[in-house]
Amino acid sequence: MSYHESRLSRRTLLGGSAGALLALGLDGCASGQQPNGNGSSGARYTPPIYVPFNDVKPDLPGTIDGVAPGFLGFPAPPIKRPGFPLPSTAPATALLQGTAPNVAPDANLAYRLARTQSGNSLDAVVVTATYYLDKFQVTMAGNDLPDFVQMALVPKYPQLLEKYFTDLSDVLGGDGVKEYPALANIPPATWKIPEVKGRLWGIAQPRPPAGSILSTRGDLLRARGIDPNPKINSGPELVALFAELTDRKRNQFAMGQDPTSWLLPLVLQMMGAPNGWHKVDGRFVNQLESAQMKDALNECAKIIAAGYLHPESFSPQTAEWLRAGTISLYHQSFTGWGLWARQEPKWNLGHVDLPKWGGGGRASIFKSVAGYPAFIAIKKQSSDQRLRELLRIADFLASPFGTQEFLDVNYGAPGVTYDMVKGNPEFRDGQSANILAGWSYCGGNAQAALYTPGQDDVTKAQHAYLTAKMPSGVDDASLGLYSETDVAKSASYAKRITDAQRSILTGAAPVSTWDDLVRSWKTAIGDKIADELGRAAG
């Protein structure tokens, strides 16, 4: 990803302004000190203990360092969790990312089932990611917040959390999470996402922290006599593969994605660059400053000049070129591997195990955060009892893979939205859009397990990949740390960075101009961000 994306996408939808802060009542906001989730003591908390859900045994075991468990079929019969349906409780409201179902909730049998199981009406306003930040800011400026809010990263973020939301540190920290078995099943690394300044402010949807992967359309590679999982041993060999997959007369190209967001990070990873921020002699230093950045810009410019990328790669586009067979390689998040494999089994998806650019072994992956970056916070509640009711709902939403409640949340109503086909849940045509919209971001378990029905080879390949890559994966050293300068000012600087990269990649400017950009960035915000991260790290 680009600088802006790699640093800030851990919690999506960066935005806000001084005017928005005044509207939210945060100008000069002080921290509260009340107990029971109504304020923060400021002391660092004990993260929730990890208690894996052992009632369902995976075919391929997971590990605590990020290897997700793999399942070659859905357990039969599904495990029924004790305690469900939950007792009836007052309506819980929410503001969530997502797309509203085609069938309105009150007429939707999948919603009826989930409402019965949760004992709650689950009233949510669902907004697509494109418009979510605007809705979030309007909602926060009002006087009637919903119970569950999917967070957006804005200036004065810690003050926003302390003023309006429940500090869950002393509720879910340590053994406290055991009261909610599905939440206790969330891997430890995922709890870093809702941690801000050493306190716990919400619940995130877990995913393997495996970063990105260079996927191949295996069917297209086979047609050219190339293995769907080509063995590449160096950067020049990767460029040779690009050349082999490109036939401009037939409108076929190796790749077709914005090079600043996908090709450049891929080459940086191969060159052993830092993943965002790293520490050098005790000080935080950014990838932008690294020698690998200039080398990667130079090599990527050569690839683009050779014509191996679709000529419109810098323009906004979707995955249509991949669907059309115009491109054969697709750099995407690890979770996209399973999603594409389920949607397009005939593609025979493979991947390129990236080598070090200069040869001599495999490259270490850039690890991502262990879940969806925009976590779910709970507004301050009137009583401990009401908070427990909401956390039980969250525990239902986070029901582990292999349980009946997992099916209720992620597949909806049997015989209506899905059927069990050869032992596996399968959506009926057009029905995947009619399950609970947005609620799975509250700890939902669907992305935390490797599961591609009918394609055991995909599940096994994913598990093998994680097993090989996770132990040596490279973290961003700023993970879990907060910099107000970063949040308030990096978005405005991101376009300058991307424009400078694009100028170099297209040959409009020499690589030497990068030094001026870095000096300007460091003077304007970079050095201050590094200092703030250093203080936050302690």
Side-chain angles (χ1 to χ4, degrees):
M1 298 184 201
S2 66
Y3 160 74
H4 174 54
E5 292 165 319
S6 64
R7 169 62 188 141
L8 298 174
S9 67
R10 290 199 300 273
R11 298 182 183 89
T12 56
L13 301 170
L14 175 71
S17 64
L21 296 176
L22 291 171
L24 299 180
L26 293 176
D27 191 50
C29 174
S31 299
Q33 296 294 327
Q34 296 90 345
N36 300 324
N38 290 323
S40 170
S41 66
R44 290 193 176 271
Y45 84 116
T46 301
I49 192 170
Y50 179 47
V51 185
F53 185 76
N54 290 322
D55 289 356
V56 177
K57 302 296 183 184
D59 298 291
L60 304 167
T63 67
I64 199 168
D65 64 356
V67 178
F71 294 86
L72 305 183
F74 203 87
I79 301 296
K80 186 75 174 70
R81 295 184 63 197
F84 293 94
L86 294 173
S88 180
T89 51
T93 54
L95 176 63
L96 305 168
Q97 292 181 27
T99 302
N102 296 330
V103 179
D106 288 346
N108 188 313
L109 293 180
Y111 272 76
R112 184 182 301 175
L113 175 60
R115 287 169 168 178
T116 298
Q117 287 289 72
S118 65
N120 200 277
S121 58
L122 300 176
D123 298 326
V125 173
V126 183
V127 183
T128 60
T130 302
Y131 303 105
Y132 188 81
L133 179 59
D134 290 340
K135 182 65 175 178
F136 173 84
Q137 291 182 322
V138 169
T139 301
M140 293 305 304
N143 295 318
D144 187 20
L145 297 185
D147 295 302
F148 295 95
V149 177
Q150 191 158 16
M151 296 304 297
L153 186 61
V154 293
K156 301 286 186 180
Y157 193 59
Q159 293 92 323
L160 177 75
L161 290 166
E162 291 199 7
K163 182 172 183 178
Y164 295 110
F165 295 99
T166 302
D167 182 345
L168 297 172
S169 306
D170 300 328
V171 180
L172 297 181
D175 288 341
V177 76
K178 287 183 177 180
E179 187 175 342
Y180 312 97
L183 298 183
N185 183 56
I186 293 176
T190 303
W191 292 109
K192 295 292 293 183
I193 296 172
E195 180 184 322
V196 179
K197 288 198 167 184
R199 304 295 290 176
L200 183 67
W201 292 101
I203 300 164
Q205 181 195 69
R207 301 180 180 188
S212 60
I213 188 166
L214 183 58
S215 296
T216 73
R217 269 199 58 171
D219 59 334
L220 299 181
L221 268 66
R222 283 284 190 205
R224 293 175 176 270
I226 304 171
D227 191 288
N229 301 289
K231 184 68 178 295
I232 304 299
N233 294 307
S234 68
E237 288 189 16
L238 179 65
V239 175
L241 176 64
F242 286 176
E244 194 171 359
L245 294 173
T246 300
D247 186 342
R248 287 180 289 281
K249 291 181 180 179
R250 299 176 61 190
N251 196 37
Q252 293 180 343
F253 302 90
M255 290 180 66
Q257 300 164 274
D258 185 343
T260 62
S261 296
W262 298 104
L263 178 64
L264 182 59
L266 182 151
V267 174
L268 284 166
Q269 183 174 293
M270 294 174 68
M271 290 183 170
N275 179 12
W277 290 91
H278 69 148
K279 294 183 77 172
V280 179
D281 297 329
R283 179 171 175 77
F284 280 85
V285 178
N286 194 268
Q287 181 190 85
L288 299 177
E289 309 168 61
S290 67
Q292 292 98 327
M293 176 60 80
K294 291 178 66 175
D295 291 341
L297 286 167
N298 185 53
E299 294 298 336
C300 290
K302 293 177 185 178
I303 292 170
I304 294 168
Y308 301 146
L309 269 62
H310 192 288
E312 297 180 15
S313 292
F314 283 102
S315 62
Q317 45 83 32
T318 64
E320 289 307 315
W321 292 332
L322 183 67
R323 290 191 178 95
T326 304
I327 61 174
S328 300
L329 305 178
Y330 195 64
H331 193 197
Q332 63 177 333
S333 67
F334 175 83
T335 54
W337 185 355
L339 294 174
W340 278 113
R342 286 192 288 274
Q343 291 178 20
E344 303 289 351
K346 293 181 180 179
W347 285 2
N348 187 27
L349 278 180
H351 73 280
V352 178
D353 187 0
L354 294 173
K356 296 178 181 179
W357 186 265
R362 300 294 104 189
S364 295
I365 64 169
F366 286 169
K367 291 172 66 177
S368 53
V369 292
Y372 191 70
F375 67 87
I376 306 296
I378 299 176
K379 80 170 182 180
K380 290 182 179 179
Q381 298 297 316
S382 59
S383 69
D384 290 345
Q385 176 59 32
R386 179 57 174 167
L387 178 58
R388 281 194 291 271
E389 290 173 359
L390 296 177
L391 287 172
R392 289 191 187 104
I393 292 172
D395 187 69
F396 163 67
L397 297 168
S399 290
F401 182 92
T403 64
Q404 181 59 52
E405 292 72 25
F406 172 91
L407 292 174
D408 297 340
V409 172
N410 296 283
Y411 285 87
V416 179
T417 54
Y418 79 97
D419 297 299
M420 297 301 289
V421 178
K422 296 181 179 180
N424 292 299
E426 186 174 298
F427 282 115
R428 291 188 171 187
D429 288 345
Q431 289 298 316
S432 62
N434 282 322
I435 61 173
L436 287 180
W439 285 101
S440 65
Y441 288 120
C442 191
N445 197 240
Q447 303 281 359
L450 305 177
Y451 174 61
T452 308
Q455 299 185 67
D456 292 357
D457 55 334
V458 173
T459 302
K460 291 177 180 178
Q462 289 179 306
H463 190 269
Y465 179 87
L466 292 177
T467 300
K469 293 297 185 180
M470 292 310 299
S472 63
V474 180
D475 283 309
D476 183 330
S478 69
L479 179 62
L481 305 178
Y482 181 81
S483 161
E484 181 63 30
T485 300
D486 188 4
V487 174
K489 297 183 178 181
S490 282
S492 62
Y493 219 93
K495 186 176 186 303
R496 293 180 61 180
I497 292 170
T498 302
D499 287 348
Q501 291 173 338
R502 287 184 174 183
S503 293
I504 295 169
L505 293 176
T506 58
V511 175
S512 59
T513 59
W514 185 250
D515 295 330
D516 294 333
L517 183 283
V518 171
R519 278 192 292 269
S520 172
W521 171 80
K522 283 172 62 66
T523 300
I525 62 173
D527 287 342
K528 191 171 182 181
I529 294 172
D531 289 341
E532 290 174 357
L533 292 175
R535 289 196 297 272

